[in-house]
Amino acid sequence: MTNNKKVLEFIEQSKQLCQPDQIVWIDGSEEQLEALRKQAVEEKILIKLNEEKLPGCYLHRTTVNDVARVEGRTFICSKCKEDSAPINNWMETTEAMNLMNGLFNGVMKGRTMYVIPYSMGAVGSKFSKIGIELTDSIYVVLNMAIMTRVGKAVIDALGDGDFIKGLHSYAELSEEKRYIMHFPEENAIMSINSNYGGNVLLGKKCFALRIASFLGKNEGWMAEHMLILGITNPKGEKKYIAAAFPSACGKTNLAMLIPPAIYQEKGYKVECVGDDIAWIRVGEDGRLWAVNPENGFFGVAPGTNMKSNPNALLSTQKNTIFTNVVHNLDDNTVWWEGLDNNPPANAIDWKGNKWDYKKFDKKDKSTCGAHPNSRFTAPTVNCPCLSDQFEAPNGVPLSAIVFGGRRAKTAPLVYQSKDWNNGVFVGSIMASETTAAATGAVGVVRRDPMAMRPFVGYNMGDYFNHWIEMGEKITNKPKIFNVNWFRTDDNGNFIWPGFGDNLRVLDWILDRCEDKVDARETAIGYVPYAKDINVEGLADVTEATIEDLLSIDKENWKAEAEGIEGFYKELGDRVPAELYSQLEALKKNLNK
Ligand code: TSX
Ligand code: MN
């Protein structure tokens, strides 16, 4: 396949360490992938679904102890502790290497080691980066073949260049010996004892966020946990927005938004460039340009339906791998909570047991048929609203960066930061209140700066500093905003309709970017005048409702400022002085 000495050496060393029976190169051909699918079905790794209803689709069930990313067992290893800690788990590089070499020793005996050359970003684009993942999991191979570009074309594009090393084995799937280890200083990732997507599809969170964020800091670009969408207005002008949200805020739904009827009638169009990761660079024109380095969607299944996100659901109707959803035995299809109101009567749950939907109790997650973190792995090409700029080698130019979170009271529906550094502050104070769906406690604030808390491959203070330094290089800066779709009234009901109607907020954001609309300056930033949020066609939303959604409770925000200060202190002494100045300015504004 290649004469690249570094590649051959990596494979040889890993072969000595893991001792697989054989080594198979993934060439990316449909014939090879089809043969692997057949083998996976024979080995009961995959179940082939109804070829008429879901052509090319498969179902996989993970082990019950292996259903999500494991932040407690995910490490950023470096020589110096402060280069990773305190938000990340840290282990010294040599110690971690020794630990992992011990765990990988002989682990692939009796198994095949697959060599997956993959490209994050379109093959051959100067902004793309290449990785090689060695794995003993066919499930990983088939998922990587959807989520990234794999095979011979990638090896050819690599030539004798450098790549990110990735070594994975599902080993014994032991929870106690599960480790997801990142070595940003060595361009390497090692993952063992898991076979769950986020831990093992090494191109995604491990490379495209954790390792790439470190590369970006050193090379002057950014790897961010952001969706990218394009909005075309009735004049045919296209603008792009990148947006970061913590989990459970509906990021994939926003990325594939369907405009409300009145916007469609006017000629608005929304297109998806990406739903999870953005690699962002300063272009020759001084603007920020973003690419989605992925080639698929690894989306949460529960809650995805023809109302919440038709484009995502339609993306899963062919060539998709479903993980941990319900198997409908009557027609050999899949189901999950929140797909429709017709749970299958003759079904198997995500654990592989007979499932009785009549015993389903909303409050008891153990009665769910699909795991709450069950997933679909679907090719981006399936997406009906995929942007024609998806593969553009230079990406798309950003007009706005949007941060968001799930807040019942503090954050208004939308506000604009005063300038770039204030925008960095707004990103750094991002937070979400937990829902029942999360770990148990409801309404607990979790700080999640730029939605990158689990994904920054280095020190969080240094990461903030990188954002500030990037601002100095961007001569034509995007404007930075914060949104909150989740304000509730005194009865705990959501006030804003959300979903497609969020376009009304994005519309204001783009108008701000072009100085087409005025705004009210407040203690936290620029807030819309209620009349400027278009509520045409919304039955239950009046200008008074918008006033309410845009109100800022100073006492609430004073408490928020205390929380932010506490969080900054936790991050250690590398938090930029500029952000402390921003915090002081906020406090002063709140006391005016
Ligand atoms: O994804 C969501 N978005 C973004 C959509 C583009 N969700 C789902 C969150 C869980 C992943 C939302 N939920 C959004 C939202 O904007 N807003 C809400 C809250 C909400 C829920 C239901 C209704 C209104 C708001 N209305 C009815 O059920 C009729
Ligand atoms: Mn994500």
Side-chain angles (χ1 to χ4, degrees), residues 205 225 251 276 455:
K205 304 298 192 184
H225 191 198
K251 208 165 127 209
D276 197 36
F455 304 120

Side-chain angles (χ1 to χ4, degrees), residues 287-300:
R287 291 192 288 178
L288 278 185
W289 289 73
V291 299
N292 168 15
E294 302 193 276
N295 204 29
F297 305 115
F298 186 63
V300 175

Side-chain angles (χ1 to χ4, degrees), residues 381-400:
V381 290
N382 285 0
C383 183
C385 65
L386 187 68
S387 166
D388 63 0
Q389 297 302 297
F390 166 63
E391 299 230 81
N394 296 329
V396 296
L398 297 181
S399 298

Side-chain angles (χ1 to χ4, degrees), residues 236-370:
E237 297 160 343
K238 267 191 188 193
K239 307 279 172 192
Y240 296 90
I241 295 175
F245 293 87
S247 59
C249 289
K251 208 165 127 209
T252 302
N253 298 344
L254 188 68
M256 302 178 186
L257 173 151
I258 296 197
I262 67 122
Y263 275 80
Q264 289 184 29
E265 285 156 19
K266 287 181 186 161
Y268 278 86
K269 220 170 110 187
V270 173
E271 289 162 300
C272 173
V273 180
D275 81 325
D276 197 36
I277 300 176
W279 283 2
I280 306 174
R281 291 180 174 77
V282 185
E284 279 163 19
D285 58 1
R287 291 192 288 178
L288 278 185
W289 289 73
V291 299
N292 168 15
E294 302 193 276
N295 204 29
F297 305 115
F298 186 63
V300 175
T304 305
N305 59 59
M306 278 311 273
K307 258 183 123 171
S308 67
N309 194 340
N311 286 313
L313 189 60
L314 293 169
S315 301
T316 66
Q317 300 303 291
K318 60 181 183 196
N319 304 331
T320 293
I321 299 173
F322 297 94
T323 301
N324 291 342
V325 299
V326 176
H327 190 195
N328 180 346
L329 295 177
D330 280 334
D331 64 353
N332 192 23
T333 58
V334 288
W335 192 85
W336 51 75
E337 279 72 20
L339 172 65
D340 55 35
N341 292 321
N342 309 307
N346 182 18
I348 302 290
D349 69 12
W350 70 273
K351 292 179 181 166
N353 301 320
K354 190 88 188 95
W355 181 64
D356 182 358
Y357 72 88
K358 288 185 225 91
K359 295 204 180 117
F360 174 67
D361 170 8
K362 240 184 174 168
K363 281 171 231 128
D364 182 1
K365 285 284 163 199
S366 72
T367 64
C368 281

Side-chain angles (χ1 to χ4, degrees), residues 248-251 253-255 257 308 406 485-486 494 496-500 502:
C249 289
K251 208 165 127 209
N253 298 344
L254 188 68
L257 173 151
S308 67
R406 184 184 273 266
W485 318 133
F486 300 96
F494 293 114
W496 178 246
F499 297 93
N502 292 335

Side-chain angles (χ1 to χ4, degrees), residues 466-479:
H466 180 51
W467 264 85
I468 289 169
E469 285 182 357
M470 285 298 295
E472 290 156 18
K473 291 196 243 179
I474 314 163
T475 49
N476 195 348
K477 294 179 181 59
K479 305 270 191 289

